[in-house]
Amino acid sequence: MSDSKQFGPKPAQILLVEDNPGDVRLTEEAFKQGRIENDLHVVSDGNEALEFLYQRGEYADAPRPDLILLDLNLPRKDGEDVLEELKDDSELRSIPVIVLTSSRAEEDVVRSYELHANAYLTKPVDPDEFIETVRAFEKFWFSVVRLPPEDERS
């Protein structure tokens, strides 16, 4: 289907960093129902996220994401560490990062913004509300916000 749209806009490349399979399914469902054509890439821990972003190992051919959805509570390397490393890298820091987490702790919100997260969303517990939150965020980020242009690296 995407081959027939070769002259249209390219699908948005979204990296979801999430270890909860249920939340991955809900996010996939929300993006399927949305109007924005996208390629959702999923990794389940912070180390995998960095491998994807730096195009190492099995992710050597990974696309540069237009947007990253980052859970804070991850195995191996947590979301804060990923966010800090990402925003310290001059090549990657312009990629918008949305923290999407179940944590309502004020210190997590403050720390995420200190580490230059572009937004902080708390995951609703109700599955329908979760899907609505992701769809509202998708509409905002891909219909209203102007994202940085893709690097012209060869």
Side-chain angles (χ1 to χ4, degrees):
M1 182 172 167
S2 58
D3 289 345
S4 63
K5 294 186 98 179
Q6 63 193 25
F7 299 110
K10 291 192 311 189
Q13 301 297 319
I14 302 168
L15 176 61
L16 173 62
V17 187
E18 174 61 69
D19 64 319
N20 180 322
D23 289 349
V24 169
R25 274 194 306 279
L26 287 173
T27 305
E28 289 171 337
E29 182 64 32
F31 278 116
K32 269 188 216 140
Q33 292 177 13
R35 294 195 199 100
I36 311 301
E37 192 173 336
N38 66 78
D39 293 331
L40 184 65
H41 308 275
V42 181
V43 295
S44 60
D45 67 50
N47 288 343
E48 266 190 90
L50 293 172
E51 292 292 300
F52 186 100
L53 291 164
Y54 288 113
Q55 298 175 312
R56 296 188 292 232
E58 68 180 285
Y59 301 108
D61 295 326
R64 178 184 170 92
D66 295 305
L67 190 70
I68 299 168
L69 290 173
L70 179 65
D71 188 13
L72 290 182
N73 306 310
L74 297 167
R76 294 168 64 191
K77 184 181 283 274
D78 73 19
E80 275 188 10
D81 291 338
V82 172
L83 184 57
E84 187 166 21
E85 190 167 331
L86 177 68
K87 293 300 183 176
D88 280 344
D89 186 299
S90 61
E91 294 287 316
L92 300 173
R93 77 168 56 112
S94 66
I95 301 171
V97 178
I98 312 306
V99 173
L100 182 62
T101 185
S102 53
S103 173
R104 295 181 180 277
E106 199 163 300
E107 60 268 18
D108 286 342
V109 176
V110 170
R111 182 74 180 132
S112 293
Y113 283 117
E114 284 174 350
L115 293 171
H116 306 289
N118 296 84
Y120 188 102
L121 297 175
T122 303
K123 296 176 194 171
V125 176
D126 177 82
D128 292 330
E129 285 180 33
F130 185 100
I131 288 173
E132 275 309 304
T133 297
V134 172
R135 288 185 65 196
F137 129 87
E138 175 197 36
K139 183 176 181 189
F140 175 75
W141 279 95
F142 291 109
S143 299
V144 180
V145 172
R146 185 158 178 208
L147 295 172
E150 200 174 309
D151 280 353
E152 296 300 325
R153 290 176 289 169
S154 47

